[in-house]
Coordinates of all heavy atoms in Angstrom, one line a residue:
A1 N -15.6 -2.5 10.9 CA -15.6 -2.2 12.3 C -14.6 -1.0 12.5 O -13.4 -1.1 12.3 CB -15.1 -3.4 13.1
N2 N -15.2 0.1 13.0 CA -14.4 1.3 13.2 C -13.8 1.2 14.6 O -14.5 1.0 15.6 CB -15.3 2.5 13.0 CG -14.5 3.6 12.3 OD1 -13.3 3.6 12.2 ND2 -15.3 4.6 11.8
S3 N -12.5 1.4 14.7 CA -11.9 1.3 16.0 C -11.8 2.7 16.7 O -11.5 3.7 16.0 CB -10.4 0.8 15.8 OG -9.7 0.9 17.0
P4 N -12.0 2.7 18.0 CA -11.9 4.0 18.7 C -10.4 4.4 18.9 O -10.2 5.5 19.3 CB -12.6 3.8 20.0 CG -12.5 2.3 20.2 CD -12.5 1.7 18.9
F5 N -9.5 3.4 18.7 CA -8.1 3.7 18.9 C -7.4 4.1 17.7 O -7.7 3.7 16.6 CB -7.5 2.4 19.6 CG -8.2 2.0 20.9 CD1 -9.1 1.0 21.0 CD2 -7.9 2.8 22.0 CE1 -9.7 0.7 22.2 CE2 -8.5 2.5 23.2 CZ -9.4 1.4 23.3
R6 N -6.3 4.8 17.9 CA -5.5 5.2 16.8 C -4.8 4.1 16.1 O -4.3 3.1 16.7 CB -4.3 6.1 17.4 CG -3.5 6.7 16.3 CD -2.6 7.8 16.7 NE -1.8 8.2 15.6 CZ -0.8 9.0 15.7 NH1 -0.4 9.5 16.8 NH2 -0.1 9.3 14.6
R7 N -4.9 4.1 14.8 CA -4.3 3.1 13.9 C -2.8 3.0 14.1 O -2.1 4.0 14.2 CB -4.6 3.5 12.4 CG -3.9 2.7 11.4 CD -4.8 1.6 11.0 NE -4.5 1.0 9.8 CZ -3.5 0.0 9.6 NH1 -2.8 -0.3 10.7 NH2 -3.3 -0.5 8.5
T8 N -2.3 1.7 14.2 CA -0.9 1.5 14.2 C -0.5 0.6 13.0 O -1.4 0.0 12.4 CB -0.4 0.8 15.5 OG1 -0.9 -0.5 15.5 CG2 -0.9 1.5 16.8
F9 N 0.8 0.6 12.8 CA 1.3 -0.3 11.8 C 2.2 -1.4 12.4 O 3.1 -1.9 11.8 CB 2.1 0.5 10.7 CG 1.3 1.5 10.0 CD1 1.4 2.9 10.3 CD2 0.4 1.2 9.1 CE1 0.7 3.8 9.7 CE2 -0.4 2.1 8.4 CZ -0.3 3.4 8.7
I10 N 1.8 -1.8 13.6 CA 2.6 -2.8 14.3 C 2.5 -4.1 13.6 O 3.6 -4.8 13.3 CB 2.1 -3.0 15.8 CG1 2.3 -1.7 16.6 CG2 2.7 -4.2 16.4 CD1 1.6 -1.7 17.9
R11 N 1.3 -4.6 13.1 CA 1.2 -5.8 12.4 C 2.1 -5.8 11.1 O 2.8 -6.7 10.8 CB -0.2 -6.2 12.0 CG -0.3 -7.5 11.2 CD -1.7 -7.8 10.8 NE -2.6 -6.8 11.2 CZ -3.9 -6.9 11.2 NH1 -4.5 -8.0 10.9 NH2 -4.7 -5.9 11.6
E12 N 2.0 -4.7 10.4 CA 2.7 -4.6 9.1 C 4.2 -4.6 9.4 O 5.0 -5.3 8.6 CB 2.3 -3.3 8.4 CG 0.9 -3.3 7.8 CD -0.2 -3.0 8.8 OE1 0.1 -2.6 9.9 OE2 -1.3 -3.3 8.4
W13 N 4.7 -4.0 10.4 CA 6.1 -4.0 10.7 C 6.6 -5.4 11.2 O 7.6 -5.9 10.8 CB 6.5 -2.9 11.8 CG 6.7 -1.6 11.2 CD1 5.8 -0.5 11.2 CD2 7.8 -1.1 10.4 NE1 6.3 0.5 10.5 CE2 7.5 0.2 10.0 CE3 9.0 -1.7 10.0 CZ2 8.4 1.0 9.3 CZ3 9.9 -0.9 9.3 CH2 9.6 0.4 8.9
R14 N 5.7 -6.0 12.0 CA 6.0 -7.4 12.5 C 6.2 -8.3 11.3 O 7.1 -9.1 11.2 CB 5.0 -7.9 13.5 CG 5.2 -9.3 14.0 CD 4.1 -9.7 14.9 NE 2.7 -9.6 14.4 CZ 2.2 -10.4 13.5 NH1 2.9 -11.4 13.0 NH2 0.9 -10.2 13.2
E15 N 5.2 -8.3 10.4 CA 5.3 -9.2 9.2 C 6.4 -8.8 8.3 O 7.1 -9.7 7.8 CB 3.9 -9.1 8.5 CG 2.8 -9.7 9.2 CD 1.4 -9.5 8.6 OE1 1.3 -8.7 7.6 OE2 0.4 -10.1 9.0
Y16 N 6.7 -7.5 8.2 CA 7.9 -7.1 7.4 C 9.2 -7.6 7.9 O 10.1 -8.0 7.2 CB 7.9 -5.5 7.4 CG 8.9 -4.9 6.6 CD1 8.8 -4.8 5.2 CD2 10.0 -4.2 7.2 CE1 9.8 -4.2 4.4 CE2 11.0 -3.6 6.4 CZ 10.9 -3.6 5.0 OH 11.8 -3.0 4.3
K17 N 9.2 -7.7 9.3 CA 10.4 -8.3 9.9 C 10.4 -9.8 10.0 O 11.3 -10.4 10.5 CB 10.6 -7.7 11.3 CG 10.8 -6.2 11.4 CD 12.2 -5.8 10.9 CE 12.4 -4.3 11.1 NZ 13.8 -4.0 10.9
G18 N 9.3 -10.4 9.4 CA 9.2 -11.9 9.4 C 9.0 -12.6 10.7 O 9.4 -13.7 10.9
L19 N 8.3 -11.9 11.6 CA 8.0 -12.5 12.9 C 6.5 -12.8 13.1 O 5.7 -12.1 12.6 CB 8.4 -11.5 14.0 CG 9.8 -11.1 14.1 CD1 10.0 -9.9 15.1 CD2 10.7 -12.3 14.6
T20 N 6.3 -13.9 13.8 CA 4.9 -14.2 14.2 C 4.6 -13.4 15.5 O 5.5 -12.8 16.1 CB 4.7 -15.7 14.5 OG1 5.6 -16.0 15.7 CG2 5.1 -16.6 13.4
Q21 N 3.3 -13.3 15.8 CA 3.0 -12.6 17.1 C 3.7 -13.3 18.3 O 4.2 -12.6 19.2 CB 1.5 -12.7 17.3 CG 0.7 -11.7 16.5 CD -0.8 -11.7 16.9 OE1 -1.3 -12.6 17.6 NE2 -1.5 -10.7 16.4
E22 N 3.8 -14.6 18.2 CA 4.4 -15.4 19.3 C 5.9 -15.0 19.4 O 6.4 -14.8 20.5 CB 4.3 -16.9 19.1 CG 4.7 -17.7 20.2 CD 4.5 -19.2 20.0 OE1 4.1 -19.6 18.9 OE2 4.7 -20.0 21.0
Q23 N 6.6 -14.9 18.3 CA 8.0 -14.6 18.3 C 8.2 -13.1 18.8 O 9.1 -12.9 19.6 CB 8.6 -14.7 16.9 CG 8.7 -16.1 16.4 CD 9.0 -16.2 14.9 OE1 8.5 -15.4 14.1 NE2 9.9 -17.2 14.6
L24 N 7.3 -12.2 18.4 CA 7.5 -10.8 18.9 C 7.2 -10.8 20.4 O 7.9 -10.1 21.1 CB 6.5 -9.9 18.1 CG 6.6 -8.4 18.6 CD1 8.0 -7.8 18.6 CD2 5.7 -7.6 17.7
T25 N 6.2 -11.5 20.8 CA 5.9 -11.6 22.3 C 7.0 -12.1 23.1 O 7.4 -11.6 24.1 CB 4.6 -12.4 22.5 OG1 3.5 -11.9 21.7 CG2 4.2 -12.4 24.0
D26 N 7.7 -13.1 22.5 CA 8.9 -13.7 23.2 C 10.0 -12.6 23.4 O 10.6 -12.5 24.4 CB 9.5 -14.9 22.4 CG 8.6 -16.1 22.6 OD1 7.7 -16.2 23.5 OD2 8.8 -17.1 21.8
R27 N 10.2 -11.8 22.3 CA 11.2 -10.8 22.3 C 10.8 -9.7 23.4 O 11.7 -9.0 23.9 CB 11.3 -10.1 21.0 CG 12.1 -10.9 19.9 CD 12.3 -10.0 18.7 NE 13.0 -10.8 17.7 CZ 13.4 -10.2 16.6 NH1 13.3 -8.9 16.4 NH2 14.0 -11.0 15.7
L28 N 9.5 -9.5 23.6 CA 9.1 -8.5 24.5 C 9.2 -8.9 26.0 O 9.0 -8.1 26.9 CB 7.6 -8.1 24.2 CG 7.5 -7.3 22.9 CD1 6.0 -7.3 22.5 CD2 8.0 -5.9 23.1
E29 N 9.5 -10.2 26.2 CA 9.8 -10.7 27.6 C 8.9 -10.3 28.6 O 9.2 -9.7 29.7 CB 11.3 -10.3 28.0 CG 12.3 -10.8 27.0 CD 13.7 -10.3 27.3 OE1 13.9 -9.3 28.0 OE2 14.7 -11.0 26.9
G30 N 7.6 -10.5 28.4 CA 6.6 -10.2 29.4 C 6.0 -8.8 29.4 O 5.1 -8.5 30.2
V31 N 6.5 -7.9 28.6 CA 6.0 -6.6 28.6 C 4.6 -6.6 28.1 O 3.7 -5.8 28.6 CB 6.9 -5.6 27.7 CG1 6.3 -4.2 27.6 CG2 8.3 -5.5 28.2
I32 N 4.3 -7.4 27.1 CA 3.0 -7.5 26.5 C 2.7 -9.0 26.2 O 3.5 -9.7 25.7 CB 2.9 -6.7 25.2 CG1 3.1 -5.2 25.4 CG2 1.5 -6.9 24.5 CD1 3.2 -4.4 24.2
T33 N 1.5 -9.4 26.5 CA 1.1 -10.8 26.2 C 0.7 -10.9 24.7 O 0.5 -9.9 24.1 CB -0.2 -11.2 27.1 OG1 -1.3 -10.4 26.7 CG2 0.1 -11.1 28.6
Q34 N 0.7 -12.1 24.2 CA 0.3 -12.3 22.8 C -1.1 -11.8 22.6 O -1.4 -11.2 21.6 CB 0.5 -13.8 22.4 CG 0.3 -13.9 20.9 CD 0.6 -15.4 20.5 OE1 1.3 -16.1 21.2 NE2 0.1 -15.7 19.3
S35 N -2.0 -12.1 23.5 CA -3.4 -11.6 23.3 C -3.5 -10.1 23.3 O -4.3 -9.5 22.5 CB -4.4 -12.2 24.4 OG -4.0 -11.8 25.7
A36 N -2.7 -9.5 24.2 CA -2.7 -8.0 24.2 C -2.1 -7.4 22.9 O -2.6 -6.4 22.3 CB -1.9 -7.5 25.4
L37 N -1.1 -8.1 22.4 CA -0.5 -7.7 21.1 C -1.5 -7.8 20.0 O -1.6 -6.9 19.1 CB 0.8 -8.5 20.8 CG 1.5 -8.3 19.5 CD1 2.0 -6.8 19.4 CD2 2.6 -9.3 19.2
S38 N -2.2 -8.9 20.0 CA -3.2 -9.2 19.0 C -4.3 -8.1 19.0 O -4.7 -7.5 18.0 CB -3.9 -10.5 19.2 OG -5.0 -10.7 18.3
R39 N -4.8 -7.7 20.2 CA -5.8 -6.7 20.3 C -5.2 -5.3 19.9 O -5.9 -4.5 19.2 CB -6.2 -6.5 21.8 CG -7.1 -7.7 22.2 CD -7.4 -7.7 23.7 NE -8.1 -6.4 24.1 CZ -9.3 -6.1 23.9 NH1 -10.1 -6.9 23.3 NH2 -9.8 -4.9 24.3
L40 N -4.0 -5.1 20.2 CA -3.3 -3.8 19.7 C -3.2 -3.8 18.2 O -3.5 -2.7 17.6 CB -1.9 -3.8 20.4 CG -1.1 -2.5 20.4 CD1 -1.9 -1.4 21.0 CD2 0.2 -2.7 21.1
E41 N -2.8 -4.9 17.6 CA -2.7 -4.9 16.1 C -4.0 -4.7 15.4 O -4.1 -4.2 14.4 CB -2.1 -6.2 15.7 CG -0.6 -6.4 16.0 CD 0.1 -7.6 15.4 OE1 -0.7 -8.4 14.8 OE2 1.3 -7.7 15.5
R42 N -5.1 -5.2 16.1 CA -6.4 -5.1 15.4 C -7.1 -3.8 15.8 O -8.3 -3.6 15.4 CB -7.3 -6.3 15.8 CG -6.8 -7.6 15.2 CD -7.6 -8.8 15.6 NE -7.4 -9.1 17.0 CZ -8.4 -9.6 17.8 NH1 -9.6 -9.8 17.4 NH2 -8.1 -9.9 19.1
G43 N -6.5 -3.0 16.6 CA -7.1 -1.7 17.0 C -8.2 -1.8 18.0 O -9.0 -0.9 18.2
L44 N -8.2 -2.9 18.8 CA -9.2 -3.2 19.8 C -8.8 -2.6 21.1 O -9.6 -2.5 22.1 CB -9.5 -4.6 19.9 CG -10.0 -5.3 18.6 CD1 -10.2 -6.8 18.8 CD2 -11.3 -4.7 18.2
S45 N -7.5 -2.3 21.3 CA -7.0 -1.6 22.5 C -6.0 -0.6 22.1 O -5.4 -0.6 21.0 CB -6.5 -2.6 23.5 OG -5.3 -3.2 23.0
G46 N -5.8 0.4 23.0 CA -4.8 1.4 22.8 C -3.4 1.0 23.3 O -3.3 0.0 23.9
Y47 N -2.5 1.8 22.9 CA -1.1 1.5 23.3 C -0.7 2.6 24.3 O -1.2 3.7 24.3 CB -0.1 1.5 22.1 CG -0.2 2.8 21.3 CD1 0.6 3.9 21.7 CD2 -0.9 2.9 20.2 CE1 0.6 5.1 21.0 CE2 -1.0 4.1 19.4 CZ -0.2 5.1 19.9 OH -0.3 6.3 19.1
T48 N 0.3 2.2 25.1 CA 1.0 3.2 26.0 C 2.3 3.6 25.3 O 2.8 2.9 24.4 CB 1.3 2.7 27.4 OG1 2.2 1.6 27.3 CG2 0.0 2.2 28.1
Q49 N 2.9 4.7 25.7 CA 4.2 5.1 25.2 C 5.2 4.0 25.5 O 6.0 3.6 24.6 CB 4.6 6.4 25.8 CG 5.9 7.0 25.2 CD 5.8 7.3 23.7 OE1 4.7 7.7 23.2 NE2 6.9 7.2 22.9
G50 N 5.1 3.4 26.7 CA 6.0 2.4 27.1 C 5.9 1.1 26.2 O 6.9 0.5 25.8
S51 N 4.7 0.7 26.0 CA 4.5 -0.5 25.2 C 4.9 -0.3 23.7 O 5.5 -1.1 23.1 CB 3.0 -1.0 25.2 OG 2.1 -0.1 24.7
L52 N 4.6 0.9 23.2 CA 5.0 1.2 21.8 C 6.5 1.2 21.7 O 7.1 0.7 20.8 CB 4.5 2.6 21.5 CG 4.4 2.9 20.0 CD1 3.4 2.1 19.3 CD2 4.1 4.4 19.8
E53 N 7.2 1.8 22.7 CA 8.7 1.8 22.7 C 9.3 0.4 22.8 O 10.3 0.1 22.1 CB 9.2 2.8 23.7 CG 9.0 4.2 23.4 CD 9.4 5.2 24.5 OE1 10.0 4.7 25.5 OE2 9.1 6.4 24.4
A54 N 8.7 -0.4 23.6 CA 9.1 -1.8 23.8 C 9.0 -2.6 22.5 O 9.9 -3.3 22.1 CB 8.4 -2.5 24.9
I55 N 7.8 -2.4 21.8 CA 7.6 -3.1 20.6 C 8.6 -2.6 19.5 O 9.1 -3.4 18.8 CB 6.1 -2.9 20.1 CG1 5.2 -3.7 21.1 CG2 5.9 -3.4 18.7 CD1 3.7 -3.3 20.9
A56 N 8.8 -1.3 19.4 CA 9.7 -0.7 18.5 C 11.1 -1.3 18.7 O 11.8 -1.7 17.7 CB 9.7 0.8 18.6
Y57 N 11.5 -1.3 19.9 CA 12.9 -1.9 20.3 C 13.0 -3.3 19.8 O 14.0 -3.7 19.2 CB 13.1 -1.7 21.8 CG 14.5 -2.2 22.2 CD1 15.6 -1.4 21.9 CD2 14.7 -3.5 22.7 CE1 16.9 -1.9 22.3 CE2 15.9 -3.9 23.1 CZ 17.0 -3.1 22.9 OH 18.3 -3.6 23.2
A58 N 11.9 -4.1 20.1 CA 12.0 -5.5 19.8 C 12.0 -5.7 18.3 O 12.5 -6.7 17.8 CB 10.7 -6.2 20.4
L59 N 11.4 -4.8 17.5 CA 11.4 -4.9 16.0 C 12.6 -4.2 15.4 O 12.8 -4.3 14.2 CB 10.1 -4.3 15.5 CG 8.8 -5.1 15.8 CD1 7.6 -4.3 15.4 CD2 8.8 -6.4 15.0
G60 N 13.3 -3.4 16.2 CA 14.5 -2.7 15.6 C 14.1 -1.5 14.8 O 14.7 -1.2 13.8
V61 N 13.0 -0.9 15.2 CA 12.5 0.3 14.4 C 12.3 1.5 15.5 O 12.4 1.2 16.6 CB 11.2 0.1 13.6 CG1 11.4 -1.0 12.6 CG2 10.0 -0.3 14.5
E62 N 11.9 2.6 15.0 CA 11.6 3.7 15.8 C 10.1 3.6 16.2 O 9.3 3.2 15.4 CB 11.8 5.1 15.1 CG 13.2 5.3 14.7 CD 14.1 5.5 15.9 OE1 13.7 6.1 16.9 OE2 15.3 5.0 15.9
A63 N 9.8 4.1 17.4 CA 8.4 4.1 17.9 C 7.5 4.9 16.9 O 6.4 4.4 16.6 CB 8.3 4.7 19.3
A64 N 8.0 6.0 16.4 CA 7.3 6.8 15.4 C 6.9 6.0 14.2 O 5.8 6.2 13.6 CB 8.0 8.0 15.1
D65 N 7.7 5.0 13.8 CA 7.4 4.2 12.6 C 6.2 3.4 12.8 O 5.4 3.2 11.9 CB 8.6 3.3 12.3 CG 9.8 4.0 11.8 OD1 9.7 5.1 11.2 OD2 10.9 3.5 11.9
L66 N 6.0 2.9 14.0 CA 4.8 2.1 14.3 C 3.5 2.8 14.2 O 2.5 2.1 14.0 CB 5.0 1.4 15.7 CG 6.2 0.5 15.9 CD1 6.2 0.0 17.3 CD2 6.2 -0.6 14.9
I67 N 3.5 4.1 14.3 CA 2.3 4.8 14.2 C 2.2 5.7 13.0 O 1.2 6.2 12.6 CB 1.9 5.7 15.5 CG1 3.1 6.6 15.8 CG2 1.6 4.8 16.6 CD1 2.8 7.5 17.0
G68 N 3.4 5.9 12.3 CA 3.4 6.9 11.2 C 3.8 6.4 9.9 O 3.8 7.2 8.9
R69 N 4.3 5.1 9.8 CA 4.9 4.8 8.5 C 4.7 3.3 8.2 O 5.0 2.4 9.0 CB 6.4 5.1 8.5 CG 7.1 5.1 7.2 CD 8.4 5.8 7.2 NE 9.4 5.0 8.0 CZ 10.1 4.0 7.5 NH1 10.0 3.7 6.2 NH2 11.0 3.4 8.2
L70 N 4.3 3.0 7.0 CA 4.2 1.6 6.5 C 5.6 1.2 6.2 O 6.4 2.0 5.7 CB 3.4 1.5 5.2 CG 1.9 1.6 5.4 CD1 1.2 1.9 4.1 CD2 1.4 0.3 5.9
P71 N 6.0 -0.1 6.5 CA 7.3 -0.6 6.1 C 7.6 -0.4 4.6 O 6.8 -0.8 3.8 CB 7.3 -2.0 6.5 CG 6.1 -2.2 7.3 CD 5.1 -1.1 7.0
G72 N 8.7 0.1 4.3 CA 9.1 0.2 2.9 C 8.4 1.3 2.1 O 8.7 1.4 0.9
A73 N 7.5 2.0 2.8 CA 6.8 3.0 2.0 C 7.2 4.4 2.5 O 7.5 4.7 3.6 CB 5.3 2.9 2.3
P74 N 7.3 5.4 1.5 CA 7.6 6.7 1.8 C 6.5 7.3 2.8 O 5.4 6.9 2.7 CB 7.6 7.5 0.5 CG 7.4 6.5 -0.5 CD 7.0 5.2 0.1
T75 N 6.9 8.2 3.6 CA 6.0 8.8 4.6 C 4.8 9.4 3.8 O 3.6 9.3 4.3 CB 6.7 9.9 5.4 OG1 7.9 9.3 6.0 CG2 5.8 10.5 6.5
E76 N 5.0 10.0 2.7 CA 3.9 10.7 1.9 C 2.8 9.7 1.6 O 1.6 10.0 1.7 CB 4.4 11.3 0.6 CG 5.5 12.3 0.8 CD 6.9 11.6 0.9 OE1 7.3 10.9 0.0 OE2 7.5 11.8 1.9
L77 N 3.2 8.5 1.2 CA 2.3 7.4 0.8 C 1.5 7.0 2.1 O 0.3 6.8 2.0 CB 3.0 6.2 0.3 CG 2.3 5.3 -0.7 CD1 1.6 6.1 -1.8 CD2 3.3 4.3 -1.3
T78 N 2.2 6.9 3.2 CA 1.5 6.5 4.4 C 0.5 7.5 4.8 O -0.6 7.2 5.3 CB 2.5 6.3 5.6 OG1 3.5 5.4 5.1 CG2 1.9 5.8 6.8
L79 N 0.8 8.8 4.7 CA -0.2 9.9 5.0 C -1.4 9.7 4.1 O -2.5 9.9 4.6 CB 0.5 11.2 4.8 CG 1.6 11.6 5.8 CD1 2.3 12.9 5.4 CD2 1.1 11.6 7.2
I80 N -1.3 9.4 2.9 CA -2.4 9.2 2.0 C -3.3 8.0 2.5 O -4.5 8.1 2.6 CB -2.0 9.0 0.5 CG1 -1.3 10.2 0.0 CG2 -3.1 8.5 -0.3 CD1 -0.5 10.1 -1.3
V81 N -2.6 6.9 2.8 CA -3.3 5.7 3.3 C -4.1 6.1 4.6 O -5.3 5.7 4.8 CB -2.4 4.5 3.5 CG1 -3.1 3.4 4.3 CG2 -1.8 4.0 2.2
N82 N -3.5 6.8 5.5 CA -4.1 7.2 6.7 C -5.4 8.0 6.6 O -6.2 8.1 7.4 CB -3.1 7.9 7.7 CG -2.3 7.0 8.4 OD1 -2.7 5.8 8.6 ND2 -1.2 7.4 8.9
K83 N -5.5 8.7 5.4 CA -6.7 9.6 5.2 C -7.8 8.8 4.6 O -8.9 9.3 4.6 CB -6.3 10.7 4.2 CG -5.4 11.8 4.9 CD -5.1 12.9 3.9 CE -4.1 13.9 4.6 NZ -3.3 14.7 3.7
L84 N -7.6 7.5 4.2 CA -8.6 6.7 3.7 C -9.5 6.2 4.8 O -9.1 6.1 5.9 CB -8.0 5.5 2.9 CG -7.2 5.8 1.7 CD1 -6.5 4.5 1.2 CD2 -8.1 6.3 0.6
P85 N -10.8 5.9 4.5 CA -11.6 5.2 5.5 C -11.0 3.9 5.9 O -10.3 3.2 5.0 CB -13.0 5.0 4.8 CG -12.8 5.6 3.4 CD -11.4 6.1 3.2
P86 N -11.2 3.4 7.1 CA -10.6 2.2 7.6 C -10.7 1.0 6.7 O -9.8 0.2 6.5 CB -11.2 1.9 9.0 CG -11.7 3.3 9.4 CD -12.0 4.1 8.2
E87 N -11.9 0.8 6.1 CA -12.2 -0.3 5.3 C -11.3 -0.3 4.0 O -11.0 -1.3 3.4 CB -13.7 -0.5 4.9 CG -14.3 0.6 4.2 CD -14.8 1.8 5.0 OE1 -14.5 1.8 6.3 OE2 -15.4 2.7 4.5
K88 N -11.0 0.9 3.5 CA -10.1 1.1 2.3 C -8.6 1.0 2.7 O -7.8 0.7 1.8 CB -10.4 2.4 1.7 CG -11.8 2.6 1.1 CD -12.0 1.9 -0.2 CE -13.3 2.1 -0.8 NZ -13.6 1.2 -1.8
Q89 N -8.3 1.2 3.9 CA -6.9 1.2 4.3 C -6.3 -0.2 4.1 O -5.2 -0.3 3.5 CB -6.7 1.6 5.8 CG -6.9 3.1 6.0 CD -6.6 3.4 7.5 OE1 -6.4 2.6 8.3 NE2 -6.8 4.7 7.8
Q90 N -7.0 -1.3 4.5 CA -6.4 -2.6 4.4 C -6.2 -2.9 2.9 O -5.3 -3.6 2.5 CB -7.4 -3.6 5.0 CG -7.3 -3.6 6.5 CD -5.8 -3.7 7.0 OE1 -5.3 -2.8 7.6 NE2 -5.2 -4.9 6.8
Q91 N -7.2 -2.5 2.0 CA -7.1 -2.7 0.6 C -5.9 -2.0 0.0 O -5.1 -2.6 -0.7 CB -8.4 -2.2 0.0 CG -8.7 -2.7 -1.4 CD -10.0 -2.1 -1.9 OE1 -10.7 -1.3 -1.2 NE2 -10.4 -2.5 -3.1
A92 N -5.7 -0.8 0.4 CA -4.5 0.0 0.0 C -3.2 -0.7 0.4 O -2.3 -0.8 -0.4 CB -4.6 1.4 0.5
I93 N -3.2 -1.1 1.6 CA -2.0 -1.8 2.2 C -1.7 -3.1 1.4 O -0.5 -3.3 1.0 CB -2.1 -2.0 3.7 CG1 -2.0 -0.7 4.4 CG2 -1.0 -3.0 4.2 CD1 -2.5 -0.8 5.9
A94 N -2.7 -3.8 1.1 CA -2.5 -5.1 0.3 C -2.0 -4.8 -1.1 O -1.1 -5.5 -1.5 CB -3.9 -5.8 0.2
I95 N -2.5 -3.7 -1.7 CA -2.0 -3.3 -3.0 C -0.5 -2.9 -2.9 O 0.3 -3.3 -3.7 CB -2.8 -2.2 -3.6 CG1 -4.2 -2.7 -3.9 CG2 -2.2 -1.6 -4.8 CD1 -5.3 -1.6 -4.2
L96 N -0.2 -2.1 -1.9 CA 1.2 -1.6 -1.8 C 2.2 -2.8 -1.5 O 3.3 -2.8 -2.0 CB 1.3 -0.6 -0.6 CG 0.6 0.7 -0.9 CD1 0.6 1.6 0.4 CD2 1.4 1.5 -2.0
K97 N 1.7 -3.8 -0.7 CA 2.5 -5.0 -0.4 C 2.8 -5.7 -1.7 O 3.9 -6.2 -2.0 CB 1.8 -5.9 0.6 CG 2.0 -5.5 2.0 CD 1.3 -6.5 2.9 CE 1.4 -6.1 4.4 NZ 0.6 -7.0 5.2
A98 N 1.7 -5.9 -2.5 CA 1.9 -6.6 -3.8 C 2.8 -5.9 -4.7 O 3.7 -6.5 -5.4 CB 0.5 -6.7 -4.5
I99 N 2.7 -4.6 -4.8 CA 3.6 -3.8 -5.7 C 5.1 -4.0 -5.2 O 6.0 -4.1 -6.0 CB 3.2 -2.3 -5.7 CG1 1.9 -2.1 -6.4 CG2 4.3 -1.4 -6.3 CD1 1.3 -0.8 -6.2
G100 N 5.3 -3.9 -3.9 CA 6.6 -4.0 -3.3 C 7.3 -5.4 -3.5 O 8.5 -5.5 -3.4
Q101 N 6.5 -6.4 -3.8 CA 7.1 -7.7 -3.9 C 7.6 -8.0 -5.4 O 8.2 -9.0 -5.6 CB 6.1 -8.8 -3.5 CG 5.9 -8.9 -2.0 CD 4.6 -9.6 -1.6 OE1 3.9 -10.2 -2.4 NE2 4.4 -9.7 -0.3
N102 N 7.3 -7.0 -6.2 CA 7.8 -7.2 -7.6 C 9.1 -6.5 -7.9 O 9.5 -5.6 -7.2 CB 6.7 -6.6 -8.6 CG 5.4 -7.4 -8.5 OD1 5.5 -8.6 -8.2 ND2 4.3 -6.8 -8.7

């Protein structure tokens, strides 16, 4: 499923920080609902600058990280992943996560 919206790394950052969608939604204090967060993470809806900044603040990262960098990965590696077709991106991310756990 190709998303018309720009890819984000919100889900990866949320998981990296050890939070569930519900926990992150609680931190956002009504800025975004859990269903809206879910749609955002799956690329089914777009983000606003305000929502991106609120999520970044709640996660303790920079807004730019959420759209430009995989957690724990150098920027160069993220750029390579972003050039892959969407169906290959998830596979690459899974491999990088597995490598990072060793």
Side-chain angles (χ1 to χ4, degrees):
N2 221 344
S3 168
F5 298 102
R6 182 165 177 194
R7 171 89 164 84
T8 69
F9 297 107
I10 295 169
R11 177 182 4 195
E12 289 79 12
W13 279 102
R14 176 179 56 73
E15 291 173 350
Y16 183 74
K17 297 287 186 168
L19 296 172
T20 64
Q21 281 186 349
E22 189 177 6
Q23 288 169 322
L24 179 53
T25 304
D26 287 346
R27 286 187 181 190
L28 290 165
E29 299 174 341
V31 174
I32 296 173
T33 63
Q34 188 173 342
S35 63
L37 177 63
S38 176
R39 290 175 53 79
L40 195 54
E41 286 188 356
R42 291 181 290 148
L44 301 177
S45 67
Y47 57 83
T48 63
Q49 186 64 30
S51 64
L52 198 68
E53 287 174 7
I55 293 166
Y57 181 79
L59 289 171
V61 300
E62 296 295 320
D65 291 334
L66 298 179
I67 53 173
R69 195 165 69 84
L70 282 163
T75 306
E76 306 79 60
L77 206 50
T78 304
L79 293 173
I80 293 167
V81 170
N82 275 339
K83 288 180 182 158
L84 296 172
E87 63 277 6
K88 295 282 186 196
Q89 286 181 1
Q90 286 309 112
Q91 197 176 4
I93 289 167
I95 293 166
L96 291 170
K97 280 182 184 174
I99 292 168
Q101 288 166 0
N102 295 332

